């Protein structure tokens, strides 16, 4: 199904959730355990289309317990989607955070000590950039900030 690296994380309920990018469909898929520690999993769920097949997704837990997944669109912009509530199987429609992401680059995400997510990418000029949530769990993000460098 995938040529991307599978990505797994534990949700607020302790269930594992896994994400992959389907190589030929340019789509992000997801599935989760039906209960913590279970060997039973949900069916594969389509989360987003127009995903760059030569990249990997990144996922982190918002301060309010919702998972948020980041991926590169076929337009080389950073996109994201989040659970509608902690542990939910319902996800928001994906939206763009903009940017021109370098070919073959994948996002990385971390949580700051104050609870805001911060996402990092390599731009088409080979500099490192980041965006930060304006407040913990927010859907509002800062402008792109350059850390420069010729990566």
């Amino acid at each position: 199904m995938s040529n991307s690296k599978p990505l797994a994380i534990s949700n607020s309920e302790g269930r594992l959730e896994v994400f992959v990018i389907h190589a030929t469909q340019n789509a992000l898929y997801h599935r989760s355990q039906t209960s913590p520690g279970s060997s039973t999993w949900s069916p594969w769920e389509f989360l987003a289309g127009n995903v760059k097949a030569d990249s990997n997704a990144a996922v982190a837990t918002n301060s309010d317990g919702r998972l948020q997944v980041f991926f590169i669109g076929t337009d080389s912009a950073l996109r994201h989607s989040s659970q509608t509530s902690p542990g939910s199987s319902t996800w928001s429609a994906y939206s763009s955070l903009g940017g021109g992401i370098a070919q073959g680059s994948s996002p990385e995400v971390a949580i700051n000590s104050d609870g805001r997510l911060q996402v990092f990418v390599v731009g088409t000029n080979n500099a490192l950039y980041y965006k930060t949530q304006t407040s913990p769990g927010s859907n509002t993000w800062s402008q792109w900030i350059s850390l420069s460098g010729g990566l």
Side-chain angles (χ1 to χ4, degrees), residues 17-149:
E17 305 212 19
V18 66
F19 303 82
V20 294
I21 295 172
H22 192 289
T24 57
Q25 293 181 2
N26 293 74
L28 178 66
Y29 283 88
H30 157 268
R31 71 188 308 185
S32 61
Q33 287 177 314
T34 56
S35 61
S38 174
S39 60
T40 305
W41 290 74
S42 68
W44 284 107
E45 176 186 8
F46 172 87
L47 285 184
N50 298 317
V51 178
K52 218 170 211 190
D54 67 345
S55 65
N56 294 300
V59 66
T61 304
N62 273 298
S63 62
D64 60 7
R66 293 175 303 123
L67 295 182
Q68 188 146 346
V69 64
F70 299 86
F71 52 95
I72 309 301
T74 52
D75 61 355
S76 297
L78 181 66
R79 299 176 185 273
H80 69 109
S81 177
S82 60
Q83 289 176 313
T84 56
S85 61
S88 173
S89 61
T90 305
W91 290 75
S92 67
Y94 68 86
S95 61
S96 178
L97 291 173
I101 314 303
Q103 182 73 22
S105 179
S106 296
E108 289 293 333
V109 63
I111 191 163
N112 282 320
S113 61
D114 65 3
R116 293 176 302 140
L117 294 182
Q118 196 159 358
V119 63
F120 299 84
V121 297
V122 175
T124 53
N125 64 352
N126 293 324
L128 184 63
Y129 291 88
Y130 72 93
K131 274 189 176 240
T132 304
Q133 286 176 317
T134 56
S135 60
S138 171
N139 287 323
T140 307
W141 292 78
S142 70
Q143 297 297 316
W144 285 108
I145 300 167
S146 175
L147 292 174
S148 66

